[in-house]
C-alpha cells in the first residue's frame, strides 16, 4: 500500500503530518510498520535492552528482506550475567552490529562507583538513570548521527506507555517508532515461542521483566503487571529515564554536580518551573 509521505521523511515533522502518519501506521501490522520505517525514517537505529518486544522487532526485521538497522545497547554495568549472555546469542543469531555504550568515563562497576559513589540508585534514582541510560543514549545518538530509533514499548505495559502512538517525536526532535505498540504480552510471547527467538533465561525463573540486578526481582504472588518485579520498592516508578524529558533530567544532573554538600536538590520539575 502506498502512502503520501516523503521518502525519507522531511524533518521536523509538523503536528498534522505526525497525526497523519500515526493514522496510517495504526492500520498496519508490526511487520508492515517496520517495513515502512526502513524506507521512511532517516538514520534509523534500534535501541534495545533485549527485552521480549525488542527481540520480536529484531526478528521481524531480520525477515524483512532489508538490512537490519544497527542496535544500540546501553550497558549500565549492572545487568545480569544472563543479559550479557543474551547479547552474545543475538549477535551470533542475527549477525547484527551492536553498538555498546556505557556510562561516561566508566568501563567497570568500580569505575562507576569511584565516580558516583556506591548504590547511587538508592541515593538518587533520577541521577542514576541519567548517568547509566540517558547520557549514554544521547552520546550514542550524537556520535552515530541517529535521528530515528525503534523501541520495544507497548500500550499494555501500562504506566506512561498506556497511550503510546506508533510514532512519537521527543523534545530533542528524535523520532521514536513503537512498532508493537498495540500488541499484548500474549501476542509477543506467542511470537517468541513460534519463531524460536532467543530470550533472557531469567524469564524461566519467575522474572517478568529484566533490568539491572539491583532493581529487578522475580514477580510475587498477586503481581499482575507485565513489568512486575522492576523497581518493586519504588512506588509509582515505571520508566528508567530513557523516555522521560531529557532537558529536565540533564538540568537536574548538572545541578547535582554543582551541589554544595548537605544541600537538598530540587526535583527537575521544581527546577524548571518559574515562580509566580
Amino acid at each position: 500500500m502506498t502512502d503520501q509521505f516523503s521518502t525519507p521523511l522531511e524533518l521536523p515533522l509538523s503536528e498534522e503530518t505526525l497525526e497523519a502518519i500515526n493514522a496510517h501506521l495504526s492500520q498496519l501490522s508490526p511487520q508492515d510498520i517496520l517495513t515502512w520505517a526502513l524506507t521512511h525514517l532517516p538514520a534509523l537505529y534500534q535501541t534495545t535492552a533485549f527485552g521480549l518486544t525488542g527481540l520480536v522487532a529484531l526478528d521481524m526485521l531480520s525477515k524483512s528482506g532489508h538490512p537490519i538497522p544497527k542496535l544500540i545497547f546501553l550497558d549500565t554495568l549492572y545487568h545480569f550475567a544472563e543479559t550479557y549472555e543474551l547479547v552474545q546469542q543475538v549477535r551470533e543469531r542475527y549477525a547484527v552490529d551492536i553498538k555498546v555504550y556505557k556510562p561516561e568515563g566508566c568501563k567497570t562497576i568500580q569505575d562507576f562507583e569511584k565516580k558516583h559513589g556506591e548504590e547511587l540508585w538508592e541515593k538518587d534514582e533520577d541521577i542514576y538513570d541519567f548517568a547509566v541510560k540517558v547520557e549514554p543514549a544521547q552520546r550514542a545518538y550524537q556520535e552515530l548521527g541517529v535521528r530515528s530509533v525503534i523501541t520495544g514499548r507497548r500500550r499494555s505495559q501500562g504506566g506512561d506507555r498506556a497511550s503510546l502512538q506508533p510514532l512519537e517525536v521527543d523534545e530533542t526532535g528524535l523520532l521514536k517508532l513503537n512498532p508493537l505498540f498495540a500488541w499484548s504480552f500474549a501476542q509477543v510471547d506467542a511470537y517468541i515461542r513460534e519463531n524460536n527467538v532467543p530470550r533472557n533465561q531469567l524469564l524461566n525463573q519467575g522474572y517478568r521483566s529484566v533490568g539491572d540486578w539491583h532493581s529487578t526481582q522475580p514477580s510475587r504472588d498477586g503481581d499482575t503487571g507485565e513489568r512486575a518485579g522492576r523497581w518493586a520498592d519504588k512506588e509509582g516508578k515505571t520508566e528508567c529515564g530513557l523516555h522521560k524529558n531529557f532537558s529536565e533530567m540533564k538540568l537536574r544532573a548538572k545541578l547535582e554536580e554543582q551541589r554544595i554538600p548537605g544541600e537538598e536538590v530540587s526535583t527537575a520539575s521544581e527546577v524548571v518551573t518559574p515562580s509566580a
Side-chain angles (χ1 to χ4, degrees), residues 5-215:
F5 310 110
S6 59
T7 306
L9 294 175
E10 295 180 4
L11 305 182
L13 297 179
S14 67
E15 289 186 11
E16 293 77 12
T17 299
L18 182 59
E19 289 179 5
I21 290 172
N22 278 323
H24 174 67
L25 296 183
S26 294
Q27 304 175 52
L28 305 182
S29 67
Q31 291 92 333
D32 288 339
I33 291 175
L34 287 166
T35 299
W36 181 92
L38 291 171
T39 57
H40 286 82
L41 297 189
L44 179 63
Y45 285 70
Q46 181 178 359
T47 56
T48 183
F50 298 94
L52 291 181
T53 314
L55 291 167
V56 169
L58 174 59
D59 191 76
M60 290 177 175
L61 286 165
S62 74
K63 298 170 181 175
S64 69
H66 298 271
I68 301 175
K70 295 181 176 66
L71 270 59
I72 298 173
F73 171 51
L74 302 177
D75 182 0
T76 66
L77 305 174
Y78 292 93
H79 287 295
F80 287 92
E82 288 85 351
T83 301
Y84 293 115
E85 291 169 3
L86 178 60
V87 173
Q88 186 57 33
Q89 292 173 25
V90 167
R91 184 180 279 116
E92 294 173 358
R93 166 79 173 265
Y94 297 104
V96 63
D97 189 357
I98 303 175
K99 304 295 185 183
V100 179
Y101 278 78
K102 299 181 179 183
E104 187 173 27
C106 302
K107 293 183 178 180
T108 65
I109 289 178
Q110 290 73 22
D111 292 339
F112 186 83
E113 294 184 350
K114 182 178 180 180
K115 182 176 182 178
H116 296 283
E118 296 182 359
E119 298 187 349
L120 178 60
W121 60 88
E122 292 287 354
K123 299 171 184 175
D124 194 320
E125 62 185 32
D126 284 342
I127 299 301
Y128 175 78
D129 288 345
F130 184 87
V132 302
K133 286 288 187 76
V134 180
E135 186 284 326
Q138 291 299 320
R139 181 159 29 95
Y141 300 159
Q142 292 174 8
E143 292 181 2
L144 300 172
V146 179
R147 304 187 74 183
S148 313
V149 294
I150 299 166
T151 87
R153 296 180 298 160
R154 292 180 289 105
R155 287 177 178 172
S156 68
Q157 291 169 326
D160 294 340
R161 306 182 179 197
S163 58
L164 274 180
Q165 295 296 313
L167 185 66
E168 300 174 310
V169 183
D170 74 9
E171 75 280 359
T172 70
L174 182 73
L175 302 182
K176 292 183 175 181
L177 184 78
N178 310 304
L180 284 88
F181 75 103
W183 269 29
S184 66
F185 175 79
Q187 289 173 292
V188 172
D189 188 55
Y191 184 99
I192 291 281
R193 296 179 186 281
E194 291 168 7
N195 292 274
N196 194 30
V197 177
R199 64 201 299 267
N200 198 310
Q201 290 304 304
L202 290 174
L203 299 176
N204 299 326
Q205 301 174 33
Y207 291 81
R208 290 192 183 178
S209 179
V210 180
D212 290 339
W213 56 256
H214 53 69
S215 58

